[in-house]
């Protein structure tokens, strides 16, 4: 088999596995269907089935995703009898806000609960200076990958999120800040970027993530540009090309180690897709350019991956790639076994990377007091043991 064929087989295997953890149907117990999360084509099909003209789908899209309306009665371009008819068949859903915590630094963490009572965490991280911020979105309830330093990795995968639940996290966060109607594409927004860096591995739930991102990027709705969306992966190589071609969003790669023996231990997925294959996939990533660099995330773990030799090996590894390196001081969580690197070690590491020509910002931990920082998210109830 050629490499391309191998990749295609591997991709099919990953998609088939994702289907085993499929979310439940987006229907209420009374039989009404949720319109959120449908593609434009699916929405048009719903209208056809209800005996309505196809332009209704366009109108609804506008009300749902541009205006942020949740009640058919507020849709002033639709006559009352049709509003009533729609309300009998459909809803415009949102996840339930099961918890809402504000950190001292204004980072805000939501626990969103879905109809089957599964829940995920979503975090809004405001820029400390400007009126804008990032929404950190989850893609799965739990994660299969068990990276050693990650809290989510201790929560077994319950299921994948649906497109509705992925878009719903962003819409519910926008509700909390009153950011409707959607600002025009390049006007400033408070919730200005999306990072798929919450719970779960987005490329192990590719189809739902892709559908959700297409809804969010649609110019007649939320209209967030692909340049304002970053997908973070621990390195699911066979899905990276597809994500790049179909979505063209920014890519972040959780590298964390420059040697396979150490990465095998920290990010067990490395045993399947080792560093050389991962970097090759980054070199092929279509949306990478000097204007849109690939972000390498590197969690700083004391005496494990933070030496000067590691920093030098890192710049060698990514030589020639349009990239920046985000250094993330390790965020502890209850029961975690690692320590974060010393500020001096982080500074030295950052200098070596920067002197080689790569931006190397050190990420300030945000929302640590409410366990909202990178790698601290977990929605399962902690066992008392
Ligand atoms: N599953 C995806 C996206 C979610 S994790 C991925 O792994 O890329 C988002 C980022 O937080 C990843 O780079 C992850 O490695 C990092 N992270 C996980 N646990 C962490 C911790 N305890 N401290 C700091 N960063 C952590
Ligand atoms: Fe999963 Fe990412 Fe956490 Fe690894 S770092 S366990 S891939 S969420």
């Amino acid at each position: 088999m050629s490499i391309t064929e191998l990749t295609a087989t591997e991709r099919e295997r990953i998609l088939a596995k994702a289907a085993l953890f499929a979310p439940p149907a987006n229907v209420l117990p009374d039989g009404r269907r949720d319109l959120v999360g449908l593609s434009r084509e699916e929405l048009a099909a719903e209208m056809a089935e209800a005996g309505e003209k196809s332009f209704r789908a366009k109108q609804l899209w506008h009300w749902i995703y541009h205006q942020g309306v949740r009640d058919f009665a507020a849709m002033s371009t639709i006559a009352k009898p049709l509003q009533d008819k729609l309300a009998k068949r459909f809803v415009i859903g949102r996840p339930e806000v099961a918890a809402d915590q504000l950190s001292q630094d204004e980072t805000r963490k939501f626990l969103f609960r879905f109809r089957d009572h599964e829940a995920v965490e979503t975090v809004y991280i405001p820029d400390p200076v400007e009126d804008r911020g990032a929404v950190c979105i989850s893609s799965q309830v739990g994660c299969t990958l068990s990276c050693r330093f990650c809290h989510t990795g201790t929560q077994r995968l319950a299921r994948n999120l649906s497109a509705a639940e992925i878009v719903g996290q962003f819409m519910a966060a926008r509700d909390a800040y009153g950011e409707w109607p959607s600002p025009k594409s390049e006007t400033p927004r408070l919730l200005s970027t999306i990072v798929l860096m919450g719970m779960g591995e987005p490329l192990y739930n590719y189809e739902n993530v892709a559908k959700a991102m297409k809804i969010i990027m649609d110019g007649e709705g939320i209209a967030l540009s692909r340049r304002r969306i970053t997908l973070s992966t621990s390195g699911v190589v066979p899905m990276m090309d597809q994500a790049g071609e179909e979505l063209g969003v920014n890519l972040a790669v959780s590298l964390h180690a420059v040697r396979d023996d150490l990465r095998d231990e920290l990010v067990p997925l490395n045993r399947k897709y080792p560093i050389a294959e991962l970097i090759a996939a980054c070199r092929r990533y279509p949306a990478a350019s000097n204007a849109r660099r690939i972000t390498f995330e590197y969690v700083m773990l004391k005496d494990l991956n933070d030496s000067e030799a590691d920093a030098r090996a890192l710049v060698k590894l990514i030589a020639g790639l349009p990239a920046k390196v985000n250094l993330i001081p390790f965020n502890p969580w209850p029961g975690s076994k690692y320590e974060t690197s010393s500020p001096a070690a982080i500074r030295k590491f950052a200098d070596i990377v920067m002197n080689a020509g790569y931006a190397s910002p050190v990420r300030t931990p945000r929302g640590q007091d409410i366990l909202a920082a990178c790698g601290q998210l977990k929605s399962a109830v902690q066992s008392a043991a």
Side-chain angles (χ1 to χ4, degrees), residues 47 81 97 106-107 139-140 206 219 221 229 269 273 305 309 332 369 375:
M47 288 306 107
V97 183
E106 300 289 309
T107 297
S139 54
Q140 300 183 302
Y206 179 72
I229 299 175
L269 183 66
Y273 309 117
N305 65 355
D369 52 337

Side-chain angles (χ1 to χ4, degrees), residues 143-147 149-153 198-201 234 254 256 267:
C143 189
T144 47
L145 288 172
S146 339
C147 299
F149 46 83
C150 174
H151 203 194
T152 309
M199 297 165 55
E201 168 50 57
S234 55
S254 297
H256 308 317
V267 184

Side-chain angles (χ1 to χ4, degrees), residues 117-295:
H117 300 288
E118 293 291 358
V120 295
E121 294 188 316
T122 305
V123 183
Y124 176 63
I125 310 139
D127 187 287
V129 187
E130 311 223 22
D131 279 344
R132 61 173 190 219
V135 186
C136 181
I137 284 184
S138 294
S139 54
Q140 300 183 302
V141 184
C143 189
T144 47
L145 288 172
S146 339
C147 299
R148 298 284 177 265
F149 46 83
C150 174
H151 203 194
T152 309
T154 66
Q155 180 179 346
R156 66 169 185 88
L157 177 67
R159 66 169 175 81
N160 283 323
L161 294 188
S162 66
E165 291 165 339
I166 297 168
V167 180
Q169 294 171 62
F170 187 63
M171 295 176 84
R174 291 264 299 260
D175 293 344
Y177 288 87
E179 195 164 61
W180 296 108
S182 297
K184 290 270 172 257
S185 60
E186 290 306 322
T187 41
R189 313 173 172 224
L190 208 52
L191 280 63
S192 57
T193 53
I194 287 181
V195 291
L196 281 157
M197 294 185 182
M199 297 165 55
E201 168 50 57
L203 294 185
Y204 270 173
N205 182 21
Y206 179 72
E207 288 182 335
N208 290 307
V209 166
K211 193 171 173 194
M213 292 307 117
K214 285 178 190 166
I215 292 172
I216 286 174
M217 294 189 286
D218 187 291
E220 288 176 27
I222 294 170
L224 200 67
S225 132
R226 62 199 163 90
R227 293 165 195 279
R228 303 199 173 275
I229 299 175
T230 300
L231 184 150
S232 175
T233 180
S234 55
V236 185
V237 167
M239 302 308 298
M240 287 168 63
D241 299 276
Q242 194 170 345
E245 274 157 36
E246 283 183 6
L247 304 176
V249 296
N250 302 322
L251 180 69
V253 171
S254 297
L255 188 62
H256 308 317
V258 289
R259 298 186 326 264
D260 280 321
D261 58 343
L262 180 59
R263 197 165 188 271
D264 280 351
E265 189 190 315
L266 296 175
V267 184
L269 183 66
N270 193 69
R271 293 176 204 154
K272 206 168 224 164
Y273 309 117
I275 293 173
E277 281 184 36
L278 178 57
I279 298 296
C282 292
R283 292 189 193 281
R284 293 193 300 269
Y285 193 74
S289 67
N290 282 329
R292 297 181 68 202
R293 292 165 296 174
I294 290 179
T295 303

